[in-house]
């Protein structure tokens, strides 16, 4: 899962980025509204953390431009605690949720998890596909109750496929959501990670859809 943080407070931006990376997310960072708008317009994100008070272009304008251009990624806005009008303006502009400053980073992580789950159609913090269980809260997975030992890339791949169970996901989409903007991306490596993942969870859960990509679903749930 790939997250964009748009926050001009360097220390807060770094704090959020470190916490998200520790939780297994891929993170891109912007420090003003113009840069944030550009990244959100040009790159695919699973969720965005957007501060309202930004230099160059304020957060409300950034959000309105994204929504006006048809961008539908979940957006969590950061507001000042005593500015209820910012919360209303943010929600009206298309925000999905908000957190008032100062806040606990754990609350932001919980809200981001919830936004991503809901966007993918999952209500619970645990996603199940056959014998595989993904604990989005704990950033861990098990197969038949046994903890899976996964590299960071394998976990990101499994998480994305499980969030989009039953859907065909292209290699390009996987690459875009597994690596940040500065990573030297190579879609051929996806085959390697899929192969490793199949060995750990079973070959029958991830289907190769020739010419299109991959689809994860429990055996017997095919069309």
């Amino acid at each position: 899962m790939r997250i964009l943080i748009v926050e001009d407070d360097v220390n807060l931006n770094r704090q959020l980025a470190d916490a998200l990376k520790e939780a297994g997310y891929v993170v891109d960072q912007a420090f003003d509204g113009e840069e944030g708008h550009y990244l959100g317009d040009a790159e695919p994100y699973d969720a965005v953390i957007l501060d309202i008070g930004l230099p160059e272009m304020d957060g409300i304008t950034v959000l309105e431009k994204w929504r006006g251009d048809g961008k539908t990624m979940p957006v969590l806005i950061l507001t000042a605690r005593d500015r209820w009008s910012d919360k209303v303006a943010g929600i009206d502009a298309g925000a999905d949720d908000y957190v008032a400053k100062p806040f606990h980073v754990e609350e932001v992580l919980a809200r981001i998890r919830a936004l991503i789950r809901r966007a993918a159609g999952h209500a619970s913090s645990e996603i199940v596909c056959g014998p595989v269980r993904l604990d989005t809260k704990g950033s861990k997975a098990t197969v038949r109750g046994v903890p899976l030992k996964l590299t960071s890339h394998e976990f990101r791949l499994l998480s994305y496929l499980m969030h989009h169970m039953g859907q065909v996901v292209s290699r390009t989409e996987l690459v875009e959501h597994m690596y940040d903007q500065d990573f030297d991306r190579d879609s051929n490596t996806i085959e390697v990670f899929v192969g490793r993942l199949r060995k750990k969870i079973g070959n029958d859960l991830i289907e190769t859809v020739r010419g299109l990509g991959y689809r994860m679903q429990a055996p017997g749930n095919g069309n």
Side-chain angles (χ1 to χ4, degrees), residues 29-64:
Q29 298 167 263
F31 298 90
D32 63 62
E34 286 188 355
E35 181 186 16
H37 172 259
Y38 170 77
L39 286 174
D41 199 47
E43 299 285 341
Y45 293 102
D46 296 291
V48 177
I49 298 172
L50 176 67
D51 185 35
I52 293 297
L54 292 168
E56 307 300 334
M57 185 188 299
D58 67 87
I60 297 296
T61 301
V62 171
L63 184 52
E64 288 176 337

Side-chain angles (χ1 to χ4, degrees), residues 21-35:
K21 291 175 183 177
E22 180 68 23
Y25 295 97
V26 176
V27 180
D28 288 334
Q29 298 167 263
F31 298 90
D32 63 62
E34 286 188 355
E35 181 186 16

Side-chain angles (χ1 to χ4, degrees), residues 67-127:
R67 295 312 190 216
D69 290 337
K71 300 298 180 182
T72 61
M73 66 280 195
V75 175
L76 173 70
I77 57 172
L78 306 179
T79 71
R81 183 173 295 280
D82 58 347
R83 290 290 299 274
W84 63 266
S85 58
D86 283 347
K87 303 170 188 176
V88 173
I91 296 298
D92 285 344
D96 299 273
D97 199 357
Y98 69 85
V99 172
K101 297 179 180 178
F103 51 77
H104 292 288
V105 172
E106 290 78 8
E107 180 182 0
V108 174
L109 293 179
R111 291 182 181 274
I112 285 293
R113 288 194 300 267
L115 288 178
I116 291 174
R117 288 199 312 269
R118 288 201 294 267
H122 301 286
S124 172
S125 63
E126 188 175 71
I127 303 174

